[in-house]
Amino acid sequence: MSQNEKGGGKTSRRGFFGQALTAAGTAIAAPTLLNQTSIAKKVTPNSPGEMTVKLTVNGQLQTLDIEPRVTLLDALRENLGLVGSKKGCDHGQCGACTVLIDGQRVYSCLTLAVMQEDKQIVTIEGLAKGDTLHPVQAAFIEHDGFQCGYCTPGQICASVALLEEVKRGCASVVTADLTRPPQLAELSQQEIKERLSGNLCRCSAYNGIVAAVQQALGQTPPSAVADVIFSEAGESA
Ligand code: FES
Ligand code: FES
């Protein structure tokens, strides 16, 4: 018997590994239980505390039996399996969970699923048309608008909304002339950075993100200009 088992306060090597394996077993069992719970939620309508919620996500009507306290982000990820929207902070601080609701960008961690009935919800999974990427998605790939990719679904959804906001003539806090908000072709880098300031990137892929948005706006990003200069210099060398 080890000193720990005798109550001596020291843990033997064998005892330590035994405890670690027990903890690992618990950790493995926990997600399994979670999965069973979410499956049970799907097949047991209106368990105590639950209510039926109808959501239209990426054009499809979905019926969920969930508690009214469930956030839209958790409903998307845990109940519908749409895990593209990421949970970064769960406090409305990072933007990783950004989705589109009736065309407006929304932090899905800050709104309840039950509040979004009768609205059109679009997640990152719903932007492409079949095998054809949304122009913003294609621009992010072309300009390396990501590194680890964790913030990218939120960045792309926010950028898609940004384009529509500019088309509608929305101003930002850095818009110089509020009577004449900038058009797509003239939106400055400063405007893009300000309008995407609600989406953080821990990898700091901001230069690529801004370049991608510039391309989606119909502008020529500086990185593309530099590519042309370098390739022309290479040809003449
Ligand atoms: S997870 Fe929603 S803002 Fe960070
Ligand atoms: S690409 Fe890693 S957090 Fe943005």
Side-chain angles (χ1 to χ4, degrees):
M1 189 176 287
S2 69
Q3 287 188 3
N4 193 43
E5 287 164 320
K6 290 176 190 167
K10 272 191 165 179
T11 303
S12 70
R13 180 182 164 84
R14 181 171 296 174
F16 170 78
F17 282 116
Q19 289 168 12
L21 283 174
T22 305
T26 309
I28 291 166
T32 308
L33 284 174
L34 279 177
N35 288 340
Q36 288 170 351
T37 306
S38 66
I39 290 168
K41 277 186 179 173
K42 284 176 187 160
V43 297
T44 312
N46 291 121
S47 299
E50 292 186 344
M51 60 186 296
T52 300
V53 177
K54 293 181 188 296
L55 298 178
T56 305
V57 184
N58 299 330
Q60 293 194 325
L61 184 62
Q62 306 279 1
T63 303
L64 306 176
D65 293 304
I66 53 177
E67 295 182 26
R69 63 177 176 160
V70 173
T71 64
L72 177 60
L73 177 60
D74 282 342
L76 292 171
R77 291 180 57 87
E78 307 298 331
N79 296 85
L80 296 177
L82 296 171
V83 295
S85 306
K86 297 292 185 279
K87 184 181 282 189
C89 65
D90 212 17
H91 282 86
Q93 294 175 345
C94 71
C97 64
T98 304
V99 300
L100 305 175
I101 300 180
D102 286 348
Q104 308 264 13
R105 46 179 151 169
V106 172
Y107 290 163
S108 60
C109 71
L110 286 190
T111 186
L112 299 175
V114 67
M115 296 166 63
Q116 305 308 331
E117 287 192 310
D118 304 321
K119 297 180 182 169
Q120 295 292 328
I121 302 163
V122 177
T123 68
I124 189 72
E125 291 92 344
L127 287 181
K129 300 285 177 245
D131 290 337
T132 305
L133 293 177
H134 188 284
V136 174
Q137 290 176 304
F140 266 67
I141 292 173
E142 190 168 332
H143 293 280
D144 292 331
F146 53 87
Q147 289 183 37
C148 77
Y150 198 81
C151 72
T152 311
Q155 300 277 7
I156 290 176
C157 285
S159 299
V160 170
L162 181 157
L163 296 187
E164 296 306 314
E165 288 160 13
V166 175
K167 286 180 193 168
R168 290 200 305 271
C170 296
S172 81
V173 296
V174 298
T175 301
D177 184 355
L178 295 180
T179 64
R180 191 186 160 281
Q183 304 296 302
L184 291 177
E186 61 190 19
L187 200 71
S188 66
Q189 286 193 357
Q190 186 189 21
E191 283 272 8
I192 296 170
K193 289 175 184 174
E194 166 56 30
R195 289 167 190 256
L196 286 182
S197 59
N199 290 75
L200 305 182
C201 175
R202 287 175 300 180
C203 301
S204 206
Y206 295 114
N207 286 346
I209 292 169
V210 172
V213 173
Q214 284 182 303
Q215 174 166 310
L217 290 166
Q219 303 176 9
T220 303
S223 55
V225 175
D227 286 346
V228 172
I229 291 172
F230 283 131
S231 70
E232 286 178 349
E235 283 168 13
S236 58

